[in-house]
Amino acid sequence: MYYIQPHYHGISRTTQDYARMAQAGVVAVAEPSFWAGFDHQYAGSFIDYFRQISEFEPTRAAQYGIRHFCWIAVNPKESENLSLSREVMTAMPSFFDKPTVLGIGEIGLNKNTRNELVIFQEQLELAIKYRQLVLIHTPHLADKRKGTQLTLELLHNLHADPQRVWIDHVEEHTIKAVLDAGYWAGMTLYPTTKMSPSRAADMLEIYGSERLLVNSSADWGPSSPFTLQECAMEYRSRGHSEQELIDVFHNNPARFLGQSSKFDISPIGLSPEPIANSTSARP
Amino acid sequence: MNKNNVLDRYYLDCRCMLLELAATLDRYDRAALPPRGVKPVDERLLRLGRAIAILSQASAQPDRTQRILQLLSDPDL
């Protein structure tokens, strides 16, 4: 079984994660820019962070045979500071040509404030101008429903191409609106407090796997990259085939991220014919 | 711990467990009927319903856990 982990924050994880993910079948990860647990004070801090995830982190993952891609952005939580956000945004285009940068993300809303909306819109316009893929964070807990609605309205007003936009952290009360509008939807699994592997398996069964992504968003908080494998086990235990698993956990990320020419991992199809073993192949 | 501390510390865990319970009951409702000859209404589901009712009942004593465990116990001593 091969996995692509489409939302993973490697800079806050130990190298042991990469070793264990490789052992567990992960062939690639994509690392969005996010909040590091405290607010950056300087634009240069963001630039160094973008350098870290676009230049250094791929070398760390490569030691274990894992491809590492990334997204750059001012994350929603820090976008409250308009002047700092705009200073960072002027430097972002210089990263778009780097070989592992897939697009702009995660942008979006955290507390649904006016300033967050302003920077969200400006980063979306930047993505449209430079034809970048977009990864959108939706708020957690009580702010999610309103934040998702505001997100959908903004995307509609800007005429964003739904096929190139992934709206993340959907749950039962937001997934339908996202899929109905034609966007990709991501379900983010956590060991506690938020989406669980069994609930994600439920939604795969209810809505089907088309334009649905599953990720673990392992970061500096209580989280684990292996909730992805837990979800695959849950899905398999309900009788879903190996090809269905590969479609969800490998091929769907390959399909969405593969819209960037830099992401060169193709979907996998299992052969319908059994492959002869070495004994029977001998004369 | 005071009452606010309890909610500060355990609210998110409770929210998560509540959603898991709701998702499990939804899963049950969506699931296919059991094979012919098997009772469609399982006694365990009825017990869960009674236990959920206990959760929302006010009580003079903080004894919801004990009452639910008694409800879920073999009645034959």
Side-chain angles (χ1 to χ4, degrees), chain A residues 141 192-194 196 198-199 202 206 238, chain B residues 12-13 15-16 19-20 23-24 27 30:
Chain A
L141 306 174
T192 57
T193 72
K194 294 166 188 156
S196 68
S198 56
R199 284 171 57 203
D202 289 341
I206 294 168
R238 298 185 186 190
Chain B
L12 287 179
D13 288 336
R15 182 185 190 277
C16 179
L19 289 171
E20 286 302 315
T24 303
R27 201 173 301 138
R30 283 196 310 274

mmCIF file of all heavy atoms in Angstrom, chain A residues 141 192-194 196 198-199 202 206 238, chain B residues 12-13 15-16 19-20 23-24 27 30:
data_model
loop_
_atom_site.group_PDB
_atom_site.id
_atom_site.type_symbol
_atom_site.label_atom_id
_atom_site.label_comp_id
_atom_site.label_asym_id
_atom_site.label_seq_id
_atom_site.Cartn_x
_atom_site.Cartn_y
_atom_site.Cartn_z
ATOM 1 N N LEU A 141 -13.516 24.120 15.088
ATOM 2 C CA LEU A 141 -14.528 24.242 16.132
ATOM 3 C C LEU A 141 -15.660 25.198 15.737
ATOM 4 O O LEU A 141 -16.166 25.111 14.630
ATOM 5 C CB LEU A 141 -13.864 24.649 17.462
ATOM 6 C CG LEU A 141 -12.694 23.704 17.884
ATOM 7 C CD1 LEU A 141 -11.994 24.238 19.111
ATOM 8 C CD2 LEU A 141 -13.184 22.285 18.097
ATOM 9 N N THR A 192 -7.189 13.048 18.714
ATOM 10 C CA THR A 192 -8.298 13.455 19.590
ATOM 11 C C THR A 192 -8.811 14.800 19.120
ATOM 12 O O THR A 192 -8.173 15.487 18.338
ATOM 13 C CB THR A 192 -7.844 13.611 21.055
ATOM 14 O OG1 THR A 192 -6.781 14.564 21.087
ATOM 15 C CG2 THR A 192 -7.398 12.296 21.654
ATOM 16 N N THR A 193 -9.945 15.147 19.608
ATOM 17 C CA THR A 193 -10.583 16.472 19.513
ATOM 18 C C THR A 193 -11.235 16.814 18.178
ATOM 19 O O THR A 193 -12.187 17.554 18.153
ATOM 20 C CB THR A 193 -9.644 17.659 19.865
ATOM 21 O OG1 THR A 193 -8.680 17.858 18.831
ATOM 22 C CG2 THR A 193 -8.961 17.442 21.194
ATOM 23 N N LYS A 194 -10.721 16.346 17.037
ATOM 24 C CA LYS A 194 -11.334 16.778 15.783
ATOM 25 C C LYS A 194 -11.785 15.573 14.981
ATOM 26 O O LYS A 194 -12.427 14.686 15.506
ATOM 27 C CB LYS A 194 -10.375 17.698 15.023
ATOM 28 C CG LYS A 194 -10.156 19.005 15.786
ATOM 29 C CD LYS A 194 -8.986 19.777 15.255
ATOM 30 C CE LYS A 194 -8.686 20.963 16.174
ATOM 31 N NZ LYS A 194 -7.302 21.406 16.071
ATOM 32 N N SER A 196 -12.018 12.057 13.212
ATOM 33 C CA SER A 196 -11.430 10.752 13.511
ATOM 34 C C SER A 196 -11.386 9.897 12.248
ATOM 35 O O SER A 196 -12.123 10.140 11.291
ATOM 36 C CB SER A 196 -12.264 10.038 14.578
ATOM 37 O OG SER A 196 -13.533 9.696 14.042
ATOM 38 N N SER A 198 -12.605 6.963 11.720
ATOM 39 C CA SER A 198 -13.883 6.305 11.422
ATOM 40 C C SER A 198 -14.894 7.289 10.827
ATOM 41 O O SER A 198 -15.662 6.945 9.923
ATOM 42 C CB SER A 198 -14.445 5.634 12.674
ATOM 43 O OG SER A 198 -14.570 6.553 13.719
ATOM 44 N N ARG A 199 -14.879 8.531 11.292
ATOM 45 C CA ARG A 199 -15.785 9.529 10.697
ATOM 46 C C ARG A 199 -15.364 9.847 9.266
ATOM 47 O O ARG A 199 -16.210 10.043 8.389
ATOM 48 C CB ARG A 199 -15.803 10.800 11.548
ATOM 49 C CG ARG A 199 -16.621 10.655 12.835
ATOM 50 C CD ARG A 199 -16.428 11.849 13.763
ATOM 51 N NE ARG A 199 -16.767 13.106 13.135
ATOM 52 C CZ ARG A 199 -16.282 14.287 13.535
ATOM 53 N NH1 ARG A 199 -15.444 14.353 14.557
ATOM 54 N NH2 ARG A 199 -16.654 15.392 12.917
ATOM 55 N N ASP A 202 -16.644 7.183 7.144
ATOM 56 C CA ASP A 202 -18.088 7.396 6.919
ATOM 57 C C ASP A 202 -18.314 8.342 5.746
ATOM 58 O O ASP A 202 -19.153 8.089 4.882
ATOM 59 C CB ASP A 202 -18.741 8.029 8.164
ATOM 60 C CG ASP A 202 -18.851 7.069 9.330
ATOM 61 O OD1 ASP A 202 -18.777 5.851 9.107
ATOM 62 O OD2 ASP A 202 -18.994 7.563 10.464
ATOM 63 N N ILE A 206 -20.299 7.969 2.250
ATOM 64 C CA ILE A 206 -21.488 8.773 1.944
ATOM 65 C C ILE A 206 -21.304 9.565 0.653
ATOM 66 O O ILE A 206 -22.200 9.599 -0.200
ATOM 67 C CB ILE A 206 -21.794 9.730 3.120
ATOM 68 C CG1 ILE A 206 -22.211 8.934 4.363
ATOM 69 C CG2 ILE A 206 -22.884 10.731 2.734
ATOM 70 C CD1 ILE A 206 -22.260 9.762 5.636
ATOM 71 N N ARG A 238 -13.981 -2.266 6.378
ATOM 72 C CA ARG A 238 -15.395 -2.200 5.979
ATOM 73 C C ARG A 238 -15.631 -2.859 4.624
ATOM 74 O O ARG A 238 -16.717 -2.753 4.058
ATOM 75 C CB ARG A 238 -15.852 -0.741 5.925
ATOM 76 C CG ARG A 238 -15.773 -0.032 7.274
ATOM 77 C CD ARG A 238 -16.352 1.367 7.177
ATOM 78 N NE ARG A 238 -16.169 2.115 8.425
ATOM 79 C CZ ARG A 238 -16.744 3.276 8.682
ATOM 80 N NH1 ARG A 238 -17.527 3.838 7.773
ATOM 81 N NH2 ARG A 238 -16.533 3.889 9.832
ATOM 82 N N LEU B 12 -13.115 19.825 25.016
ATOM 83 C CA LEU B 12 -12.806 19.333 23.669
ATOM 84 C C LEU B 12 -12.874 17.812 23.595
ATOM 85 O O LEU B 12 -13.304 17.243 22.590
ATOM 86 C CB LEU B 12 -11.436 19.826 23.206
ATOM 87 C CG LEU B 12 -11.364 21.311 22.833
ATOM 88 C CD1 LEU B 12 -9.952 21.693 22.416
ATOM 89 C CD2 LEU B 12 -12.350 21.632 21.709
ATOM 90 N N ASP B 13 -12.453 17.159 24.665
ATOM 91 C CA ASP B 13 -12.558 15.688 24.684
ATOM 92 C C ASP B 13 -14.028 15.269 24.628
ATOM 93 O O ASP B 13 -14.391 14.331 23.911
ATOM 94 C CB ASP B 13 -11.920 15.123 25.955
ATOM 95 C CG ASP B 13 -10.400 15.222 25.911
ATOM 96 O OD1 ASP B 13 -9.848 15.274 24.796
ATOM 97 O OD2 ASP B 13 -9.793 15.260 26.991
ATOM 98 N N ARG B 15 -16.536 16.993 23.433
ATOM 99 C CA ARG B 15 -17.047 17.324 22.096
ATOM 100 C C ARG B 15 -16.701 16.196 21.130
ATOM 101 O O ARG B 15 -17.545 15.759 20.335
ATOM 102 C CB ARG B 15 -16.405 18.633 21.650
ATOM 103 C CG ARG B 15 -16.841 19.164 20.298
ATOM 104 C CD ARG B 15 -16.011 20.416 19.971
ATOM 105 N NE ARG B 15 -16.497 21.120 18.811
ATOM 106 C CZ ARG B 15 -16.204 20.798 17.561
ATOM 107 N NH1 ARG B 15 -15.439 19.759 17.325
ATOM 108 N NH2 ARG B 15 -16.684 21.507 16.557
ATOM 109 N N CYS B 16 -15.473 15.744 21.192
ATOM 110 C CA CYS B 16 -15.009 14.678 20.302
ATOM 111 C C CYS B 16 -15.793 13.383 20.552
ATOM 112 O O CYS B 16 -16.253 12.728 19.605
ATOM 113 C CB CYS B 16 -13.516 14.455 20.542
ATOM 114 S SG CYS B 16 -12.823 13.150 19.545
ATOM 115 N N LEU B 19 -19.317 13.596 19.215
ATOM 116 C CA LEU B 19 -19.370 13.448 17.758
ATOM 117 C C LEU B 19 -19.154 11.990 17.353
ATOM 118 O O LEU B 19 -19.777 11.489 16.408
ATOM 119 C CB LEU B 19 -18.326 14.351 17.088
ATOM 120 C CG LEU B 19 -18.632 15.851 17.154
ATOM 121 C CD1 LEU B 19 -17.433 16.667 16.673
ATOM 122 C CD2 LEU B 19 -19.866 16.181 16.316
ATOM 123 N N GLU B 20 -18.263 11.300 18.053
ATOM 124 C CA GLU B 20 -18.037 9.878 17.744
ATOM 125 C C GLU B 20 -19.308 9.071 17.990
ATOM 126 O O GLU B 20 -19.656 8.175 17.215
ATOM 127 C CB GLU B 20 -16.893 9.317 18.598
ATOM 128 C CG GLU B 20 -15.526 9.779 18.177
ATOM 129 C CD GLU B 20 -15.197 9.434 16.729
ATOM 130 O OE1 GLU B 20 -15.455 8.298 16.297
ATOM 131 O OE2 GLU B 20 -14.703 10.336 16.018
ATOM 132 N N ALA B 23 -21.750 9.895 15.243
ATOM 133 C CA ALA B 23 -21.337 9.269 13.980
ATOM 134 C C ALA B 23 -21.613 7.768 13.994
ATOM 135 O O ALA B 23 -22.007 7.181 12.976
ATOM 136 C CB ALA B 23 -19.856 9.537 13.726
ATOM 137 N N THR B 24 -21.440 7.150 15.146
ATOM 138 C CA THR B 24 -21.701 5.709 15.247
ATOM 139 C C THR B 24 -23.189 5.415 15.068
ATOM 140 O O THR B 24 -23.578 4.469 14.374
ATOM 141 C CB THR B 24 -21.215 5.173 16.608
ATOM 142 O OG1 THR B 24 -19.827 5.486 16.748
ATOM 143 C CG2 THR B 24 -21.404 3.670 16.706
ATOM 144 N N ARG B 27 -24.018 5.828 11.504
ATOM 145 C CA ARG B 27 -23.498 4.653 10.769
ATOM 146 C C ARG B 27 -24.479 3.485 10.914
ATOM 147 O O ARG B 27 -24.748 2.763 9.957
ATOM 148 C CB ARG B 27 -22.139 4.279 11.363
ATOM 149 C CG ARG B 27 -21.226 3.460 10.468
ATOM 150 C CD ARG B 27 -19.869 3.330 11.145
ATOM 151 N NE ARG B 27 -19.271 4.638 11.405
ATOM 152 C CZ ARG B 27 -18.631 4.959 12.540
ATOM 153 N NH1 ARG B 27 -18.473 4.079 13.507
ATOM 154 N NH2 ARG B 27 -18.133 6.168 12.700
ATOM 155 N N ARG B 30 -27.457 4.027 8.685
ATOM 156 C CA ARG B 30 -27.168 3.842 7.256
ATOM 157 C C ARG B 30 -26.930 2.385 6.893
ATOM 158 O O ARG B 30 -27.033 2.000 5.731
ATOM 159 C CB ARG B 30 -25.909 4.630 6.850
ATOM 160 C CG ARG B 30 -26.080 6.104 6.672
ATOM 161 C CD ARG B 30 -24.893 6.697 5.904
ATOM 162 N NE ARG B 30 -23.608 6.305 6.453
ATOM 163 C CZ ARG B 30 -22.995 6.936 7.442
ATOM 164 N NH1 ARG B 30 -23.538 7.990 7.979
ATOM 165 N NH2 ARG B 30 -21.834 6.506 7.892
#
